[in-house]
Amino acid sequence: QVQLGESGGGSVQSGGSLRLSCAASGSTYSSYTMGWFRQVPGKEREGVACIDNGRASYVDSVKGRFTISQDNAKNTLYLEMNNLKPEDTAMYYCATDCWVRDFRGVTTVEALVGATWGQGTQVTVSS
């Protein structure tokens, strides 16, 4: 079974950038769809982006600012975050088995039950 570990979080000012990494161990890493999620204490977890065979999807709140990518040779998933806003402050998690739902023009990113999760990395954006 794949194991995931995030890094790259930190504190930045509004308008700044961060790049999150998610290192995966396990020989079957490349067979998973991979996604990024975030959660603020007291709120539900929110899917941010999902990548499936190179095809990336994003929720509207991060579209144009965040870029998800993966390097299968390094077994690493990335999330490049630009023009960060205070509302992006959250714990960010990577996970396997994401899927994308488009309903009435609204895109959401979900994770299948049984998905594997990392431990998270904190992102804090100050105004």
Side-chain angles (χ1 to χ4, degrees):
Q1 176 148 358
V2 67
Q3 293 181 322
L4 305 175
E6 302 91 337
S7 61
S11 297
V12 297
Q13 291 191 327
S14 182
S17 299
L18 284 172
R19 187 175 82 156
L20 306 183
S21 298
C22 171
S25 62
S27 61
T28 59
Y29 163 79
S30 61
S31 67
Y32 295 99
T33 59
M34 297 293 298
W36 285 97
F37 298 77
R38 63 188 181 186
Q39 189 168 24
V40 176
K43 293 189 177 182
E44 288 191 1
R45 184 178 59 212
E46 174 192 26
V48 173
C50 180
I51 188 165
D52 179 9
N53 284 327
R55 185 173 66 181
S57 299
Y58 305 91
V59 296
D60 287 345
S61 60
V62 306
K63 200 171 293 183
R65 301 188 297 122
F66 290 12
T67 302
I68 187 173
S69 63
Q70 61 189 145
D71 185 335
N72 288 338
K74 295 182 178 180
N75 279 359
T76 303
L77 177 75
Y78 301 99
L79 185 68
E80 184 78 34
M81 305 185 295
N82 297 313
N83 191 21
L84 282 161
K85 304 175 181 181
E87 52 264 41
D88 296 318
T89 295
M91 184 73 78
Y92 283 71
Y93 301 89
C94 62
T96 63
D97 300 307
C98 59
W99 61 282
V100 179
R101 178 169 60 181
D102 289 300
F103 181 68
R104 294 185 178 179
V106 177
T107 299
T108 56
V109 173
E110 312 286 345
L112 293 176
V113 174
T116 299
W117 296 84
Q119 83 286 353
T121 186
Q122 177 68 36
V123 172
T124 303
V125 185
S126 58
S127 58

